[in-house]
Amino acid sequence: LTVLPDSIYNETPNCLVNYNDGMLGISAKMIGVNSGNGTFVNYFNTANGQLISGIINLSKYDSTGLIIKRTEVTGYPHNGQINTLKRCPDGGRILGGTVGQYNSSILVSDTKIYLLKIDANLNQQWSIIINTPYPSFGVDVLQTSDGGYLVSGHQKSFNKYFDMVTIKTDAAGNY
């Protein structure tokens, strides 16, 4: 067991996979609940929203678990969290999660499903935000035999019911 203290970045890990001679991890940098900049997903519009994410980071680890490279993901609205990371046949990765979370426990977040494609060198190739009728979470994504992607998640309607969402995209993320 190795504990890596993180007093600088204040990150929560979301995904971890083997990558070359080490590991690739996805984390969300917490912005801080006591600073007034905490990140909430607040479906019920209450002061009891849960702090869950912030700025998405890609982190490369060596074989001992030490971070050797950290890259901040850009190009999405508000705060985000990646929930899944899968290898693609081209050596890159497809990442899926949620963006659009507000920094307040007062506002109901208009979250959206988010996909990000990175190449084998961890460079961003493209990203897409999937608009659904209600606030939604991206849960998982996998590449299909035609080179597109199958995305799963859920949305929460205003009548407080959760609905499963499945979306098929092409190779560029168009749906």
Side-chain angles (χ1 to χ4, degrees):
L1 172 66
T2 302
V3 177
L4 301 172
D6 185 14
S7 60
I8 297 171
Y9 295 103
N10 199 20
E11 293 177 81
T12 60
N14 301 110
C15 305
L16 186 66
V17 296
N18 288 327
Y19 180 78
N20 298 340
D21 58 347
M23 297 169 282
L24 175 62
I26 306 297
S27 62
K29 180 178 176 184
M30 305 305 283
I31 297 172
V33 68
N34 294 326
S35 68
N37 294 321
T39 306
F40 294 89
V41 174
N42 193 4
Y43 280 136
F44 299 107
N45 196 21
T46 68
N48 296 321
Q50 295 297 309
L51 177 68
I52 68 164
S53 68
I55 300 167
I56 299 168
N57 286 312
L58 301 171
S59 298
K60 186 171 184 229
Y61 299 83
D62 67 14
S63 60
T64 67
L66 294 175
I67 296 173
I68 56 176
K69 179 181 180 183
R70 177 180 273 113
T71 305
E72 186 176 301
V73 174
T74 60
Y76 56 91
H78 302 293
N79 303 297
Q81 177 178 345
I82 296 298
N83 297 318
T84 187
L85 168 66
K86 302 283 175 62
R87 183 183 175 96
C88 298
D90 66 3
R93 304 290 193 274
I94 185 73
L95 292 73
T98 306
V99 296
Q101 303 169 55
Y102 294 118
N103 288 342
S104 170
S105 63
I106 298 168
L107 299 173
V108 175
S109 289
D110 188 21
T111 55
K112 301 293 182 194
I113 295 171
Y114 177 70
L115 294 181
L116 171 66
K117 176 70 170 73
I118 58 175
D119 65 19
N121 296 316
L122 309 183
N123 299 309
Q124 295 183 107
Q125 291 183 299
W126 55 262
S127 65
I128 188 164
I129 296 167
I130 298 175
N131 291 308
T132 56
Y134 300 105
S136 57
F137 276 174
V139 176
D140 206 358
V141 61
L142 57 89
Q143 192 162 34
T144 57
S145 60
D146 65 359
Y149 301 95
L150 190 60
V151 184
S152 70
H154 59 82
Q155 66 180 5
K156 184 178 177 326
S157 61
F158 295 122
N159 62 8
K160 300 183 181 175
Y161 289 103
F162 288 90
D163 298 316
M164 189 169 94
V165 175
T166 304
I167 300 159
K168 172 70 171 84
T169 75
D170 64 16
N174 300 307
Y175 59 100

